[in-house]
Amino acid sequence: MIGFSGIGASPGIAIGPVHLHVSGLPEVSPRRVSDPRAEMAKLARSEELVRARLEGLQDLHGEGSEEAEVIGAHLLLLDDPEFSDEIRMLVESESLCSEAAIHQVTEESAAILESLDDEYLAARAADVRDVGNQLLRSVLGLPLDTWDDLAAPSILVASDFFPSETATLPPGMALGLCTMEGSPTSHIAVFARGMGLPAVVGTDLPELQPGTLMAMDGDTGEVYVDPTQEMLDVLRERQERQNRAEEKAAERTHEPAVTLDGIHIEVAANIGSDEDARRAVERGAEGVGLFRTEFLFLDRTRPISEDEQYEAYRSVLSAFGDHLVVVRTLDVGGDKQVPGIEIGEELNPFLGLRGIRLTLARPELMRTQLRALLRAGTAGQLAIMAPMVAGLADLMDFRTALEEAERSLAGDGLEYATGYQVGIMIEVPSAALVAARLARHVDFFSIGTNDLTQYTLAVDRTNREVAGRADAFDPAVLRLIAETASAAGSSGCWVGVCGAMAGDPLAVPVLIGLGVTELSVAIPSVPTIKERVRELDREACRTLANRCLGAADSSEVRMLLNTV
């Protein structure tokens, strides 16, 4: 047996034979053609085939899902003149065959992005290669699906996977995914979590033979090649415990999450569409703790209209009835770019024009969204929160924008919500440190642990080289959560967590102990987190949380939490 360590990207245990998968562009030989017009027609047909395939995949995963967001970016790239026109130019002006033109433009475009030494742009290079690969396979007459040789359920091992490949996995044939590249925020992690597949990324595996027995744990990042019977027994017992726990949680998912000492902790869902809202209700979510409105702005060359936004928000609010729906205003910039909203190049995009900074700088964008939200708020229980608030000035400007939106609706004679809640995301350390001042002007705080961790520890969470350092269990991050919760409690407002930490069963005791009263998680995690809450006593959690605040590092925090 040989053991390896990677980064756990999607929870769960997988045991099975290895299937080696090679992702990359098929090799082609440059050649000249005698009829460039016929070659252009072949290229156009291939573009239509790829476009139809991507649109089908987008529909399959559901509008607003993270998977659909990735595929939407590929559709935009397919129609990007800088990409497609360059291919056509090589065919028309140099009589180059279409496959060679696609290969050349794809590799040149990807290489330029990779040379900029930016992890976000490097991820975009993978998108370019994915779209180029699909075009290239189409013009060569090769099948677009690349899983014909997957004959039995297996653990799929590759340097990396194209997003379109993971999106087309045959049902039941993937036991888990293991890659040498990637990070917890990469495409592979997004797709694996959405499909409920264990995944480990960033591993340094030796050369493997197809069919080799492998075992992996997507929670810990452990990977075992040719595991011993003893190790297999340990992992299968762990897997069986997980399965039993999930079944038990599913049976009680529509019951409230109440601690042993009678404290109700609301477990809500993170969503991006009305389809997500339906799934969240089915899974027992007690509301929406984070409605990511940026998904509505994708796949467009212009911002979505007020009426279109109104219909989308109204649909979600109606689905949840008397349960609160927390809507985050447009949060783009940093690692999230939206077509039709030009930001321009920034040396440090995570520190630049993103979140509330962007929408305050584009008043019409903010005004349109707030008007749509307030109109839709009559259909349910609305809460509106602003992302990336750094201090009191940002918050007061946001409140002013809300007041102006109300006045404009009143002036137009339109009905709108008046009893809605107002809150902010706590994801910038400065906001946590002045939370006592901010709490006087809001109804709630929602802590985004992903960005709060990134900014507190100075770690780019999209950078594979340092992603392992982005640990929300670090005592410095916990102290900022504690500061926020204390300020909220003193002012009578509530505090929730909507980052990835909320969906981690290990984190639930410390979050409850620090004073968090709402956990908003990925839809599949709702039953599990509810069941975890029911196992805990809040007073015991408070004692544990105080010990965690005094810990030396995240390893000690995890050690303390593993005793619960």
Side-chain angles (χ1 to χ4, degrees):
M1 179 182 75
I2 308 176
F4 299 90
S5 294
I7 301 171
S10 181
I13 292 170
I15 301 170
V18 165
H19 174 85
L20 299 177
H21 183 71
V22 178
S23 290
L25 301 181
E27 290 297 322
V28 298
S29 299
R31 61 182 176 84
R32 305 294 170 180
V33 294
S34 58
D35 188 354
R37 295 181 66 179
E39 202 71 10
M40 290 286 288
K42 182 170 72 172
L43 178 61
R45 287 194 298 273
S46 295
E47 287 176 340
E48 286 306 310
L49 283 172
V50 172
R51 182 177 293 103
R53 178 177 189 251
L54 290 172
E55 288 173 347
L57 290 174
Q58 195 173 40
D59 291 341
L60 177 67
H61 286 282
E63 183 182 352
S65 68
E66 292 182 279
E67 296 91 336
E69 178 188 8
V70 172
I71 297 165
H74 289 190
L75 280 164
L76 289 168
L77 177 60
L78 185 64
D79 293 326
D80 184 350
E82 290 188 17
F83 181 71
S84 57
D85 287 358
E86 184 71 18
I87 296 172
R88 291 188 178 88
M89 191 224 16
L90 289 175
V91 175
E92 285 184 314
S93 63
E94 300 185 24
S95 298
L96 196 63
C97 64
S98 55
E99 60 266 28
I102 292 168
H103 195 285
Q104 180 176 324
V105 172
T106 298
E107 283 300 329
E108 287 177 353
S109 300
I112 289 172
L113 290 170
E114 290 171 334
S115 71
L116 298 176
D117 194 27
D118 179 281
E119 188 73 12
Y120 170 76
L121 294 176
R124 302 292 73 74
D127 291 331
V128 171
R129 285 201 173 95
D130 193 344
V131 173
N133 176 63
Q134 293 178 74
L135 279 174
L136 190 51
R137 294 183 70 86
S138 181
V139 298
L140 290 172
L142 299 172
L144 292 178
D145 292 323
T146 57
W147 299 108
D148 292 344
D149 58 342
L150 182 56
S154 306
I155 295 178
L156 311 183
V157 178
S159 175
D160 204 355
F161 294 98
F162 286 137
S164 63
E165 292 173 329
T166 47
T168 55
L169 281 170
M173 298 299 283
L175 302 176
L177 306 174
C178 184
T179 67
M180 275 64 86
E181 303 297 326
S183 73
T185 59
S186 61
H187 292 335
I188 182 66
V190 169
F191 277 86
R193 288 192 293 266
M195 293 183 290
L197 287 175
V200 176
V201 300
T203 58
D204 188 17
L205 294 174
E207 185 173 338
L208 298 173
Q209 294 300 314
T212 301
L213 185 64
M214 176 184 282
M216 50 175 270
D217 189 330
D219 290 287
T220 65
E222 299 167 350
V223 178
Y224 301 96
V225 177
D226 284 325
T228 63
Q229 187 60 50
E230 182 181 7
M231 178 54 66
L232 286 173
D233 290 343
V234 169
L235 290 173
R236 283 178 176 139
E237 182 183 355
R238 194 186 304 174
Q239 188 178 46
E240 183 58 31
R241 286 200 309 269
Q242 290 178 355
N243 291 340
R244 286 197 303 267
E246 288 174 4
E247 290 171 3
K248 178 184 175 184
E251 291 173 359
R252 302 184 60 194
T253 192
H254 291 285
E255 299 176 19
V258 180
T259 64
L260 295 172
D261 51 342
I263 306 302
H264 178 217
I265 303 297
E266 186 173 286
V267 179
N270 298 335
I271 71 167
S273 68
D274 53 358
E275 174 59 24
D276 279 352
R278 182 190 61 77
R279 290 173 51 228
V281 170
E282 290 176 354
R283 297 288 281 186
E286 298 175 272
V288 173
L290 172 62
F291 183 178
R292 301 182 180 97
T293 58
E294 54 270 20
F295 289 147
L296 301 176
F297 290 73
L298 293 169
D299 308 332
R300 302 171 173 272
T301 56
R302 59 170 180 80
I304 183 173
S305 72
E306 179 181 318
D307 285 341
E308 289 172 306
Q309 290 189 63
Y310 161 73
E311 292 294 341
Y313 303 145
R314 186 180 60 81
S315 177
V316 170
L317 283 157
S318 298
F320 278 92
D322 292 334
H323 290 298
L324 191 67
V325 174
V326 179
V327 183
R328 181 176 68 188
T329 57
L330 183 63
D331 186 18
V332 297
D335 62 339
K336 292 177 288 188
Q337 305 295 323
V338 170
I341 302 176
E342 293 297 326
I343 297 177
E345 288 192 23
E346 297 180 303
L347 186 60
N348 293 301
F350 280 104
L351 305 179
L353 197 62
R354 60 172 303 203
I356 191 68
R357 300 171 181 178
L358 173 66
T359 49
L360 287 174
R362 312 281 172 85
E364 187 55 36
L365 197 62
M366 171 80 89
R367 180 176 180 273
T368 299
Q369 182 170 36
L370 293 182
R371 280 174 54 97
L373 279 169
L374 293 173
R375 288 170 57 195
T378 59
Q381 298 298 312
L382 172 67
I384 305 175
M385 70 176 175
M388 279 293 291
V389 168
L392 189 60
D394 288 341
L395 172 54
M396 299 316 293
D397 285 345
F398 179 59
R399 295 220 63 134
T400 298
L402 280 165
E403 292 167 3
E404 291 174 351
E406 287 189 23
R407 284 196 296 270
S408 69
L409 289 170
D412 291 341
L414 294 174
E415 185 181 7
Y416 61 92
T418 56
Y420 60 94
Q421 295 188 32
V422 177
I424 61 171
M425 295 278 291
I426 299 290
E427 48 195 339
V428 180
S430 59
L433 293 171
V434 297
R437 291 286 305 276
L438 303 178
R440 304 170 195 170
H441 305 281
V442 296
D443 299 297
F444 67 95
F445 293 131
S446 185
I447 301 173
T449 51
N450 299 359
D451 271 327
L452 183 62
T453 301
Q454 170 175 253
Y455 292 127
T456 302
L457 302 180
V459 173
D460 179 353
R461 58 188 171 88
T462 68
N463 186 329
R464 183 172 61 89
E465 297 299 324
V466 296
R469 294 173 175 263
D471 193 339
F473 290 87
D474 190 284
V477 179
L478 298 183
R479 285 177 176 273
L480 292 174
I481 295 173
E483 185 78 23
T484 303
S486 175
S490 298
S491 297
C493 59
W494 59 270
V495 59
V497 173
C498 63
M501 193 179 189
D504 187 341
L506 186 66
V508 173
V510 70
L511 292 176
I512 291 175
L514 292 175
V516 171
T517 57
E518 184 244 29
L519 300 169
S520 190
V521 303
I523 296 169
S525 299
V526 170
T528 301
I529 296 304
K530 277 189 162 185
E531 193 63 21
R532 181 60 173 144
V533 170
R534 297 183 187 113
E535 300 168 345
L536 302 170
D537 177 278
R538 187 173 67 170
E539 289 307 313
C541 289
R542 285 175 173 168
T543 301
L544 177 64
N546 285 331
R547 294 179 65 193
C548 291
L549 292 176
D553 53 29
S554 59
S555 296
E556 185 177 344
V557 170
R558 290 177 181 275
M559 182 184 67
L560 290 168
L561 293 174
N562 274 315
T563 65
V564 181

